[in-house]
Amino acid sequence: MMSKLKLQLGNSGLPLVTVADMAVSNMRYTVDGDDSLGYKIIIESPGAAAQDAYVVRDDGRYKMAAFSVSGETVPEELASLALREIEKDNLAAARKWLDRAREKIHASGGDDPLAGQPFPYFWTKGQDADASAMRIASLVLLPSKELKGTYLTALNQARLAAKTELDRGRLTMVLAHAYSAQERWMEMLPVAEELTKAFPTSVRAFDLAVTAYSRLSRFDDWDRLVKAGIDKQPDELAYSRSLAQLAAYRGEFEKSREITKGLIDKGQATASDLNLYAWYALLLPGPIEQDAIDTAVRANDLTKNANFAILHTLGCVYAQAGKGSQARELLLKAMDSLKLDEPNSELWFGFGLIAEQYGEYEAAASMYSRMEKPKVEYPGTSYVLAQQHLGAHNLAKDSPKSASR
């Protein structure tokens, strides 16, 4: 929370002390609450979005419990405050914290019954509810990584006791997200499959099942699920994208690009689709084709030259195509987009490609070696590509042709 605030202040280019003096002198505060209910403080500054600070009195001292910029942050942190007050039997305070969260989270419509935030379906501002209903609403709001132990047990009990199929589905979805956030894939799988059976046209349920299948390498199950989805909803683009993703997980990058090319040719591709089409060109043998470069450029134009992943892809594609100066410029822009002081793993890969194109193999190998292995393995990552290039360098050094030079 505080690191985000410091970053916002530092981006102004002025000394922090100067920014603080200017900001404080022009701030307007609106305070709601008291010591028993906690406080919501709306902080308004000229030229900036309103910020919400949530404060509690604990052990005789006031403490910041949560902080958000209006319109940007879902106040999930308020769930633990509500749960704490429920355990203390201070239901008025618990209700107030849930109301404050509900002010920030609204129900979203759409054809998918599981779309949007589930919390609004379990809490209405001003609701006169008992402790049980408040506990369920709080558990739904709680960050997925924190939904464990007795909290997870209580949510599952509420799920099994739900009065409607839709409420059970939404609580099952919350449970699936908790298992996913905690990387408990074997426990997530049956829950996600339950959702796909109960809501066969829900893309949200489909995505959760695909997540479990991909992490468990159950590609045949994934294949059957996506084909069943296409049979039911042939025009749903999520299934085409999932087929392309499945092909990539199976190492079939050419097939993945062919599926994505179909979306591109029909004018249905997003910037993310364009980005993957260009990126997977790096995993194919042979030189980079102009089509891959043009597609990456188009993705970059759509995102106004500001998306790290797309800037990185375009830089790497340029590097692999031997366009070192353009590649370096784009990788530096990617670095600036994340306000990095030094390259991260993905950028080291891009700079390694540039070095490799100039024949600086030892420098390239050094850069590739600085990359960190991702915690979750995805197909065609920068790290995987770097390992392939490192292997190629070793083979080149040991080859008879290299020894004769």
Side-chain angles (χ1 to χ4, degrees), residues 133-187:
M134 283 190 274
R135 184 175 290 106
I136 293 171
S138 301
L139 293 172
V140 170
L141 180 63
L142 197 69
S144 295
K145 286 189 175 181
E146 298 177 22
L147 191 56
K148 56 181 66 174
T150 57
Y151 288 159
L152 195 68
T153 300
L155 179 79
N156 191 42
Q157 290 172 346
R159 178 179 78 94
L160 297 175
K163 296 179 180 179
T164 69
E165 182 182 10
L166 195 51
D167 278 351
R168 174 169 175 145
R170 288 176 176 138
L171 292 172
T172 301
M173 180 181 67
V174 173
L175 186 63
H177 277 292
Y179 286 140
S180 178
Q182 297 165 37
E183 300 182 8
R184 297 163 64 174
W185 310 120
M186 289 300 296
E187 293 165 282

Side-chain angles (χ1 to χ4, degrees), residues 71-379:
E72 291 185 5
T73 305
V74 176
E76 295 177 333
E77 297 90 344
L78 304 189
S80 58
L81 299 177
L83 286 167
R84 185 181 71 172
E85 297 302 332
I86 292 170
E87 291 169 3
K88 292 162 55 177
D89 200 30
N90 186 0
L91 300 188
R95 183 177 295 107
K96 191 67 173 178
W97 286 119
L98 291 172
D99 282 349
R100 288 164 177 159
R102 188 64 173 82
E103 289 171 357
K104 309 288 290 184
I105 308 174
H106 306 287
S108 58
D111 296 330
D112 191 332
L114 300 180
Q117 285 277 347
F119 175 66
Y121 298 101
F122 294 93
W123 190 259
T124 302
K125 186 177 178 182
Q127 180 177 340
D128 184 14
D130 59 16
S132 177
M134 283 190 274
R135 184 175 290 106
I136 293 171
S138 301
L139 293 172
V140 170
L141 180 63
L142 197 69
S144 295
K145 286 189 175 181
E146 298 177 22
L147 191 56
K148 56 181 66 174
T150 57
Y151 288 159
L152 195 68
T153 300
L155 179 79
N156 191 42
Q157 290 172 346
R159 178 179 78 94
L160 297 175
K163 296 179 180 179
T164 69
E165 182 182 10
L166 195 51
D167 278 351
R168 174 169 175 145
R170 288 176 176 138
L171 292 172
T172 301
M173 180 181 67
V174 173
L175 186 63
H177 277 292
Y179 286 140
S180 178
Q182 297 165 37
E183 300 182 8
R184 297 163 64 174
W185 310 120
M186 289 300 296
E187 293 165 282
M188 179 188 180
L189 180 60
V191 173
E193 289 181 329
E194 177 185 324
L195 273 180
T196 60
K197 291 175 182 176
F199 301 91
T201 61
S202 170
V203 173
R204 185 81 172 268
F206 170 82
D207 286 341
L208 286 167
V210 164
T211 297
Y213 288 144
S214 65
R215 298 299 184 271
L216 294 170
S217 298
R218 296 180 60 155
F219 300 142
D220 290 342
D221 291 328
W222 182 354
D223 194 23
R224 283 191 290 270
L225 181 66
V226 71
K227 287 178 179 176
I230 291 174
D231 288 341
K232 294 184 182 73
Q233 299 171 287
D235 296 328
E236 176 54 66
L237 299 182
Y239 299 130
S240 296
R241 294 189 174 100
S242 189
L243 270 181
Q245 184 185 23
L246 173 58
Y249 267 86
R250 284 174 161 166
E252 301 169 347
F253 296 105
E254 185 64 59
K255 180 179 178 180
S256 179
R257 295 181 83 236
E258 288 175 2
I259 296 170
T260 304
K261 188 67 164 60
L263 297 176
I264 295 172
D265 291 344
K266 294 177 183 178
Q268 298 171 322
T270 64
S272 178
D273 296 327
L274 298 171
N275 182 57
L276 284 176
Y277 179 81
W279 178 259
Y280 287 155
L282 296 168
L283 289 117
L284 301 179
I288 294 294
E289 298 178 355
Q290 187 63 39
D291 176 49
I293 296 174
D294 292 342
T295 303
V297 168
R298 184 178 164 194
N300 193 41
D301 290 341
L302 284 174
T303 52
K304 303 185 186 302
N305 204 39
N307 181 284
F308 172 82
I310 292 173
L311 285 166
H312 175 253
T313 293
L314 183 55
C316 291
V317 169
Y318 270 140
Q320 188 71 12
K323 301 178 183 292
S325 59
Q326 296 100 313
R328 181 178 181 276
E329 180 182 353
L330 283 158
L331 292 174
L332 290 175
K333 285 182 179 179
M335 190 169 170
D336 288 341
S337 73
L338 294 184
K339 302 186 182 342
L340 298 175
D341 294 327
E342 60 182 37
N344 60 13
S345 288
E346 287 74 20
L347 290 167
W348 279 127
F349 172 67
F351 289 126
L353 284 180
I354 296 173
E356 189 177 342
Q357 291 300 317
Y358 284 112
E360 298 292 339
Y361 296 115
E362 289 188 7
S366 176
M367 293 176 188
Y368 295 147
S369 298
R370 299 184 70 168
M371 298 175 63
E372 296 180 1
K373 185 177 182 179
K375 293 181 180 179
V376 179
E377 294 187 13
Y378 295 96

